[in-house]
Amino acid sequence: MAHVERTAEVAWSGTIARGIGMASGGSGAIRGLPITLASRFGAPEGKTSPEELIAAAHAGCFAMALGSVLAGRGTPPERLDVSVRVTVETSRGRLQLVERNT
């Protein structure tokens, strides 16, 4: 399997409660995406969260893998719609991510 490596950066200003971060990806496709604590635990108000980015990445990987399997079996898809929900849960005082595909 080929080695794939990508990069992303976040520049954060302020406190965790009132600060804001700007996320950018090394490819240039993602630039200046605002990230806040409120977008994680409250109303997103047009800002993203790490969990939303994880959900998008997981959905993309799943769609690509499923499309490849279907094509390999002679039934390439015209379109795949994948929805992923990432939930942050606290267990024993630690945060855990729970992913669900639909």
Side-chain angles (χ1 to χ4, degrees):
M1 176 180 258
H3 176 78
V4 177
E5 184 174 297
R6 298 291 183 262
T7 62
E9 300 82 31
V10 171
W12 187 268
S13 299
T15 65
I16 186 130
R18 292 194 172 97
I20 187 167
M22 293 294 182
S24 298
S27 70
I30 300 170
R31 288 195 180 137
L33 279 176
I35 299 175
T36 65
L37 182 68
S39 67
R40 293 182 85 181
F41 299 107
E45 297 179 354
K47 298 171 182 73
T48 192
S49 68
E51 294 77 19
E52 183 175 51
L53 296 172
I54 291 169
H58 191 93
C61 289
F62 186 85
M64 287 182 222
L66 179 58
S68 177
V69 168
L70 292 172
R73 293 184 179 174
T75 57
E78 288 185 27
R79 178 183 171 131
L80 295 171
D81 293 312
V82 178
S83 175
V84 174
R85 175 177 294 170
V86 172
T87 304
V88 177
E89 295 179 353
T90 304
S91 175
R92 298 183 194 133
R94 300 173 80 183
L95 290 179
Q96 294 180 313
L97 289 179
V98 179
E99 299 180 36
R100 294 178 181 91
N101 296 328
T102 57

